[in-house]
Amino acid sequence: MSQTNIWYNPDTKSLEIIADLFVDDYEKIIEHTSGIRLFLNSPKEHPKADSIVFDYFERHFSISQIDSALKLNFIGKEVKVDHLFLYVESKPININQSLNFQVDLLFELFYDQVNRINFENNENIQSAALNKDNQLVPFEAPQ
């Protein structure tokens, strides 16, 4: 299971995203899809680990508004024990429009994978659990 928490920042009008995944699962999927061994958080960490990690994330996690994908910026990654945290933010968005989240992280290797999305905008919290059969969820704009 992965969990991604998303907050709307009214000061920057952007989304702040923290994805929490298991390090072993992420390393396995990268090796499975590209043949690259990352060795995250070790002296043997791949020199391009950051770009490899974000490239996979960006291909399998997207947010759109009115059929237009939002540009995501990779802020960084952090490994704590057996968790990989990815820090990402969007360009400014129009929070008065619905957001569509499409997530298929890790599905190529883990068929029972569940990707939980939590979106918070002020006091409004919306959540969804996505799986191989349900990879897209719309979150309505707050009224």
Side-chain angles (χ1 to χ4, degrees):
M1 176 181 232
S2 77
Q3 179 164 299
T4 303
N5 296 310
I6 303 148
W7 299 269
Y8 175 69
N9 182 330
D11 295 330
T12 62
K13 298 185 179 359
S14 65
L15 300 176
E16 298 175 350
I17 302 162
I18 300 176
D20 177 1
L21 304 111
F22 287 107
V23 174
D24 290 347
D25 291 349
Y26 212 84
E27 288 184 319
K28 285 177 189 171
I29 201 71
I30 297 297
E31 187 171 0
H32 176 78
T33 58
S34 68
I36 296 171
R37 298 194 66 195
L38 292 175
F39 300 103
L40 293 174
N41 206 35
S42 80
K44 298 190 320 186
E45 182 169 294
H46 193 285
K48 294 185 179 179
D50 283 3
S51 62
I52 294 167
V53 163
F54 182 62
D55 180 60
Y56 178 84
F57 182 81
E58 192 174 39
R59 285 185 285 121
H60 296 277
F61 182 97
S62 66
I63 307 170
S64 62
Q65 285 189 304
I66 311 175
D67 297 327
S68 179
L70 300 180
K71 173 71 175 136
L72 300 177
N73 297 316
F74 181 64
I75 305 302
K77 69 175 178 13
E78 182 178 26
V79 175
K80 289 185 179 177
V81 188
D82 57 351
H83 290 263
L84 170 64
F85 295 93
L86 303 179
Y87 302 98
V88 180
E89 71 179 1
S90 74
K91 297 285 187 186
I93 66 166
N94 180 348
I95 196 59
N96 297 315
Q97 296 175 348
S98 297
L99 294 165
N100 295 308
F101 293 87
Q102 183 162 1
V103 183
D104 65 354
L105 291 165
L106 308 175
F107 288 157
E108 305 100 315
L109 196 56
F110 304 104
Y111 299 104
D112 59 350
Q113 174 68 23
V114 174
N115 296 308
R116 183 159 187 76
I117 304 291
N118 301 310
F119 173 57
E120 184 176 339
N121 177 18
N122 296 326
E123 300 296 318
N124 184 20
I125 299 173
Q126 300 176 66
S127 295
L130 304 176
N131 58 40
K132 194 152 185 76
D133 297 326
N134 179 29
Q135 301 175 17
L136 178 68
V137 63
F139 286 155
E140 297 301 318
Q143 302 299 322

